[in-house]
Amino acid sequence: MSPTASPSRRLRLGVNIDHVATLRNARGGSYPCPVAAAKLAAEAGADGITAHLREDRRHIRDEDIARLRAEVGLPLNLEMAATPEMVSIAVRTKPHAACLVPEKREERTTEGGLDIILGREHLRPVIGELKAAGIRVSLFVEPERAVMDAAAELGAPVVELHTGTYAHAVIDGDSDRIAAERQRLLAAARHGAALGLEIHAGHGLTVHSVGPIAAIAEILELNIGHALISDAIFVGLGEAVRTMRLAMDEGRTMTAAQPIP
Ligand code: PXP
């Protein structure tokens, strides 16, 4: 293994705590508390906390966002749809970052990236308003060259590449698709970084699939939720975060061109 990623390009881990709130909401009440989970994740080495305030409030709620902002000493990345309601919440609560995501009521999770090519005229003022409020804006997008071009043209400083298709290929154990999807992520990350975009990635990543994505030196942040909260059932959240961190650090020492183990 030949190390490539310079230490200055340390890969950050954003822990998504949505599904702690999913569990809480299953019984009403206040337990388990996503804010307490965020504090545990911080102690275990998370670099940031991510939470998705959905229109239907199916997991994270408005008061969680306010408490995450006030009580947790890590940058908060608010995932949100580009709607007037969410923009006004973001401008009021001022998270460190806002990640614009597509949102469909009937979906189980965010199923694909934002269409920033067709939707560019809708997104332009939203990005402008969030940036004017001092919030770092990222766009959750498919890993495609044309999409990187559109993000740069829109003036978004960050893109988060959707890793869901790659993650599905890993679950299916389909090595051709795994290699093709990883290559698609690598090409998009390189193109986006060359355009001056900061590159993040996430969705569906697990300790088993994170390594080859962590190996892409242009990617500076991963946002991971479902696998961490699931692993936490068996080993506790602190241990789940530490194990993910180790898998990321190990992956970071691989070269991006190295065959996927
Ligand atoms: N990034 C974004 C933009 C997301 O919408 C999600 C899911 O909420 C994630 C990352 C994390 O995905 P997962 O929960 O599958 O790790």
Side-chain angles (χ1 to χ4, degrees):
M1 280 191 189
S2 58
T4 47
S6 84
S8 64
R9 296 181 75 78
R10 181 178 178 275
L11 183 59
R12 299 190 299 267
L13 170 60
V15 173
N16 180 316
I17 41 85
D18 290 349
H19 295 306
V20 179
T22 305
L23 202 53
R24 174 195 62 190
N25 299 353
R27 288 289 169 103
S30 58
Y31 186 81
C33 171
V35 179
K39 289 177 185 171
L40 264 181
E43 279 168 26
D47 299 288
I49 299 298
T50 294
H52 185 174
L53 185 67
R54 295 186 77 103
E55 185 193 17
D56 62 9
R57 309 301 199 267
R58 72 171 73 151
H59 37 59
I60 291 296
R61 296 179 180 147
D62 302 59
E63 57 272 25
D64 298 322
I65 295 297
R67 288 190 57 205
L68 287 167
R69 193 70 189 82
E71 297 176 36
V72 182
L74 285 181
L76 173 65
N77 175 31
L78 174 66
E79 291 177 5
M80 53 178 266
T83 61
E85 183 201 13
M86 290 301 153
V87 172
S88 98
I89 291 171
V91 167
R92 206 170 53 242
T93 47
K94 290 211 178 349
H96 167 75
C99 180
L100 297 177
V101 301
E103 204 176 290
K104 290 191 232 111
R105 272 173 192 249
E106 65 280 12
E107 70 190 355
R108 272 181 294 181
T109 179
T110 317
E111 278 162 3
L114 265 182
D115 187 343
I116 65 169
I117 296 177
L118 272 181
R120 79 173 80 198
E121 293 322 320
H122 170 68
L123 290 168
R124 200 181 298 282
V126 172
I127 294 168
E129 199 174 338
L130 292 170
K131 279 171 73 174
I135 299 167
R136 188 195 67 189
V137 181
S138 73
L139 304 176
F140 189 44
V141 291
E142 292 299 320
E144 297 292 344
R145 276 180 82 89
V147 175
M148 301 300 105
D149 293 335
E153 191 276 324
L154 277 168
V158 181
V159 287
E160 180 167 328
L161 305 180
H162 198 305
T163 52
T165 316
Y166 162 81
H168 276 299
V170 174
I171 290 166
D172 295 344
D174 181 335
S175 51
D176 289 346
R177 262 171 57 224
I178 296 171
E181 286 303 325
R182 211 272 293 247
Q183 185 54 36
R184 204 158 75 91
L185 287 157
L186 174 63
R190 287 192 172 158
H191 184 61
L195 293 170
L197 295 167
E198 180 172 318
I199 312 293
H200 300 177
H203 208 277
L205 295 174
T206 69
V207 279
H208 305 295
S209 59
V210 78
I213 303 305
I216 300 175
E218 287 77 7
I219 295 178
L220 298 187
E221 179 174 310
L222 297 177
N223 285 300
I224 304 179
H226 186 267
L228 283 172
I229 305 307
S230 304
D231 291 347
I233 292 171
F234 301 101
V235 300
L237 185 57
E239 186 59 20
V241 170
R242 283 188 289 275
T243 305
M244 185 64 76
R245 182 75 257 171
L246 277 177
M248 286 165 56
D249 291 345
E250 202 171 292
R252 203 66 165 163
T253 65
M254 299 193 292
T255 70
Q258 203 166 320
I260 297 166

